[in-house]
């Protein structure tokens, strides 16, 4: 009987299993993951909550084998109708400073549960130091602060995430931490102790230290299997490994040859849909405009498109003078990206405009009275 063995129970692995079920795949489906029951990763840093995609009974009903295991090596399938799909995701980058072992990470369900227990069992005002102010660091700092901790956030720049949401909005969002009672420091961590860290010569006491300096693709299994690895597992447009055709790779660990690696929740779902199409020998799956979101301090921030292609930015402000939306235009003046705070329907509107190649006038982009439905109207 044909088979699909999925290694990894994140959004990519789960979505692939769900798509195969939806397409009435006739073979056996197995998901192997060190954590067991597949769960969604974004809620870990946003709320320290572990949210399974589906109850255990659903997998049993669909005939999907769930195996809690850590696979270090795996044979490449020899049969044309057997598949291995690597959805191994990422691993946290580790600090390279003396005492780095004293810093915790926030990457797995076990990490989130352990941090939640510390915050829940501690007195109000627990001193927490967060190193790294990207998506995970900023979200956890916000969560810890709302739970009553006294938080210090260390970043090596005053505009974390500027490359993915625009310089201006990144600066504003980082500055917002201070208005919420979080101390922010721009500097470099020199060393870490059990109850403190030294940042640019200053000792910062903390009962809990969390490192969130980024992630890297988890490719150890791919390397052991002899797959080509270059900033991720290199795959073709069908998600096939470029040198092992019966092995697919999807999600944050995969990189389509000739493109940058996408590390977004929606991109992982689209990878999974394409992998299902490859396995089922169906038509290729169309890709949508990139989109991701982050939640912090009760603000919902969305980014559409790719700011690496932006040559200039257009700012839209609200009545209080705060940045509401940043639009990115490329060198030809075409709309290629936008980031917005509590944007409602704006993200969907911008996604539609970019996909159709429509760029509103600068006047429309700047005017807060021009809503998502009117934006780009009569423009071609």
């Amino acid at each position: 009987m044909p088979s699909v063995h999925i290694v990894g129970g994140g959004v990519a692995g789960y979505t692939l299993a769900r798509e195969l079920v939806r397409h009435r795949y006739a073979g056996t489906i197995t998901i192997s993951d060190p954590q067991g029951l597949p769960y969604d990763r974004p809620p870990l840093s946003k709320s320290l909550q572990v949210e399974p995609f589906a109850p255990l009974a659903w997998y049993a009903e669909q005939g999907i084998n769930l195996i809690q295991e850590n696979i270090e090596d795996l044979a490449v399938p020899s049969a044309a109708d057997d598949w291995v799909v690597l959805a191994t995701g990422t691993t946290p980058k580790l600090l390279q400073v003396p005492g780095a072992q004293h810093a915790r990470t926030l990457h797995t369900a076990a990490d989130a549960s352990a941090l939640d227990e510390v915050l829940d069992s501690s007195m109000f005002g627990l001193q927490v130091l967060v190193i790294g102010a990207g998506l995970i660091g900023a979200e956890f700092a916000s969560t810890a602060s709302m739970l009553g901790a006294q938080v210090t956030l260390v970043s090596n720049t005053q505009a974390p995430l500027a490359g993915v949401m625009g310089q201006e909005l990144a600066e504003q969002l980082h500055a917002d931490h201070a208005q919420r009672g979080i101390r922010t420091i721009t500097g470099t961590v020199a060393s870490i102790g059990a109850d403190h860290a030294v940042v640019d010569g200053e000792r910062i006491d903390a009962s809990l230290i969390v490192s969130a300096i980024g992630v890297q693709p988890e490719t150890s299994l791919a390397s052991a299997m002899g797959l080509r690895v270059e900033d991720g597992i290199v795959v073709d447009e069908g998600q096939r490994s470029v040198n092992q055709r019966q092995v697919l790779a999807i999600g944050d660990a995969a990189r389509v040859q000739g493109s940058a690696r996408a590390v977004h929740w929606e991109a992982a779902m689209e990878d999974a849909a394409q992998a299902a199409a490859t396995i089922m020998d169906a038509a290729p799956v169309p890709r949508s405009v990139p989109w991701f979101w982050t939640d912090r301090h009760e603000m919902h921030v969305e980014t559409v498109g790719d700011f690496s292609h932006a040559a200039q930015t257009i700012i839209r402000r609200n009545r209080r003078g705060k940045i509401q939306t940043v639009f990115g235009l490329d060198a030809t003046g075409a709309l290629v990206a936008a980031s917005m705070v509590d944007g409602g329907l704006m993200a969907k509107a911008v996604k539609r405009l970019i996909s159709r190649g429509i760029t509103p006038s600068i006047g429309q982009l700047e005017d807060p009275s021009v809503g998502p439905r009117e934006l780009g109207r009569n423009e071609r």
Side-chain angles (χ1 to χ4, degrees), residues 231 254-263 306:
D231 185 31
R255 181 177 69 82
V256 175
Q257 189 171 23
S259 302
R261 189 167 54 89
V263 190
D306 187 348

mmCIF file of all heavy atoms in Angstrom, residues 231 254-263 306:
data_model
loop_
_atom_site.group_PDB
_atom_site.id
_atom_site.type_symbol
_atom_site.label_atom_id
_atom_site.label_comp_id
_atom_site.label_asym_id
_atom_site.label_seq_id
_atom_site.Cartn_x
_atom_site.Cartn_y
_atom_site.Cartn_z
ATOM 1 N N ASP A 231 20.792 26.896 3.480
ATOM 2 C CA ASP A 231 19.795 27.723 4.154
ATOM 3 C C ASP A 231 18.424 27.079 4.048
ATOM 4 O O ASP A 231 17.449 27.689 3.633
ATOM 5 C CB ASP A 231 19.750 29.142 3.586
ATOM 6 C CG ASP A 231 18.792 30.040 4.396
ATOM 7 O OD1 ASP A 231 18.650 29.825 5.617
ATOM 8 O OD2 ASP A 231 18.152 30.931 3.806
ATOM 9 N N ALA A 254 12.170 24.314 4.593
ATOM 10 C CA ALA A 254 12.343 24.139 3.154
ATOM 11 C C ALA A 254 12.641 25.468 2.462
ATOM 12 O O ALA A 254 12.208 26.529 2.910
ATOM 13 C CB ALA A 254 11.098 23.507 2.547
ATOM 14 N N ARG A 255 13.362 25.386 1.361
ATOM 15 C CA ARG A 255 13.618 26.573 0.524
ATOM 16 C C ARG A 255 13.540 26.175 -0.943
ATOM 17 O O ARG A 255 14.265 25.291 -1.385
ATOM 18 C CB ARG A 255 14.990 27.176 0.830
ATOM 19 C CG ARG A 255 15.300 28.427 -0.004
ATOM 20 C CD ARG A 255 16.634 29.029 0.366
ATOM 21 N NE ARG A 255 17.762 28.199 -0.025
ATOM 22 C CZ ARG A 255 18.293 28.166 -1.240
ATOM 23 N NH1 ARG A 255 17.771 28.898 -2.216
ATOM 24 N NH2 ARG A 255 19.323 27.383 -1.501
ATOM 25 N N VAL A 256 12.646 26.841 -1.659
ATOM 26 C CA VAL A 256 12.537 26.582 -3.095
ATOM 27 C C VAL A 256 13.792 27.090 -3.790
ATOM 28 O O VAL A 256 14.229 28.224 -3.555
ATOM 29 C CB VAL A 256 11.285 27.255 -3.689
ATOM 30 C CG1 VAL A 256 11.245 27.078 -5.209
ATOM 31 C CG2 VAL A 256 10.024 26.685 -3.057
ATOM 32 N N GLN A 257 14.380 26.265 -4.615
ATOM 33 C CA GLN A 257 15.630 26.613 -5.298
ATOM 34 C C GLN A 257 15.478 27.922 -6.063
ATOM 35 O O GLN A 257 14.519 28.124 -6.802
ATOM 36 C CB GLN A 257 16.030 25.485 -6.249
ATOM 37 C CG GLN A 257 17.420 25.638 -6.863
ATOM 38 C CD GLN A 257 17.834 24.386 -7.621
ATOM 39 O OE1 GLN A 257 16.998 23.608 -8.049
ATOM 40 N NE2 GLN A 257 19.135 24.182 -7.772
ATOM 41 N N GLY A 258 16.416 28.833 -5.844
ATOM 42 C CA GLY A 258 16.394 30.121 -6.513
ATOM 43 C C GLY A 258 15.613 31.192 -5.788
ATOM 44 O O GLY A 258 15.556 32.335 -6.249
ATOM 45 N N SER A 259 15.001 30.857 -4.644
ATOM 46 C CA SER A 259 14.205 31.825 -3.883
ATOM 47 C C SER A 259 14.700 31.895 -2.447
ATOM 48 O O SER A 259 15.406 31.004 -1.966
ATOM 49 C CB SER A 259 12.719 31.423 -3.888
ATOM 50 O OG SER A 259 12.223 31.337 -5.198
ATOM 51 N N ALA A 260 14.296 32.957 -1.760
ATOM 52 C CA ALA A 260 14.605 33.068 -0.338
ATOM 53 C C ALA A 260 13.677 32.151 0.447
ATOM 54 O O ALA A 260 12.555 31.856 0.015
ATOM 55 C CB ALA A 260 14.435 34.509 0.130
ATOM 56 N N ARG A 261 14.124 31.691 1.590
ATOM 57 C CA ARG A 261 13.312 30.815 2.426
ATOM 58 C C ARG A 261 12.195 31.615 3.081
ATOM 59 O O ARG A 261 12.428 32.672 3.658
ATOM 60 C CB ARG A 261 14.199 30.151 3.488
ATOM 61 C CG ARG A 261 13.533 29.050 4.289
ATOM 62 C CD ARG A 261 14.584 28.258 5.067
ATOM 63 N NE ARG A 261 15.406 29.121 5.879
ATOM 64 C CZ ARG A 261 15.129 29.481 7.124
ATOM 65 N NH1 ARG A 261 14.030 29.035 7.699
ATOM 66 N NH2 ARG A 261 15.934 30.274 7.795
ATOM 67 N N ALA A 262 10.977 31.116 3.002
ATOM 68 C CA ALA A 262 9.823 31.775 3.612
ATOM 69 C C ALA A 262 9.588 31.164 4.991
ATOM 70 O O ALA A 262 9.519 29.946 5.130
ATOM 71 C CB ALA A 262 8.587 31.594 2.747
ATOM 72 N N VAL A 263 9.473 32.028 6.010
ATOM 73 C CA VAL A 263 9.287 31.541 7.380
ATOM 74 C C VAL A 263 7.993 32.146 7.911
ATOM 75 O O VAL A 263 7.993 32.969 8.816
ATOM 76 C CB VAL A 263 10.484 31.922 8.276
ATOM 77 C CG1 VAL A 263 10.399 31.201 9.628
ATOM 78 C CG2 VAL A 263 11.792 31.575 7.594
ATOM 79 N N ASP A 306 6.345 42.050 0.485
ATOM 80 C CA ASP A 306 7.759 41.874 0.806
ATOM 81 C C ASP A 306 8.466 43.234 0.802
ATOM 82 O O ASP A 306 8.666 43.842 -0.249
ATOM 83 C CB ASP A 306 8.402 40.951 -0.228
ATOM 84 C CG ASP A 306 9.818 40.569 0.122
ATOM 85 O OD1 ASP A 306 10.406 41.173 1.043
ATOM 86 O OD2 ASP A 306 10.365 39.652 -0.526
#
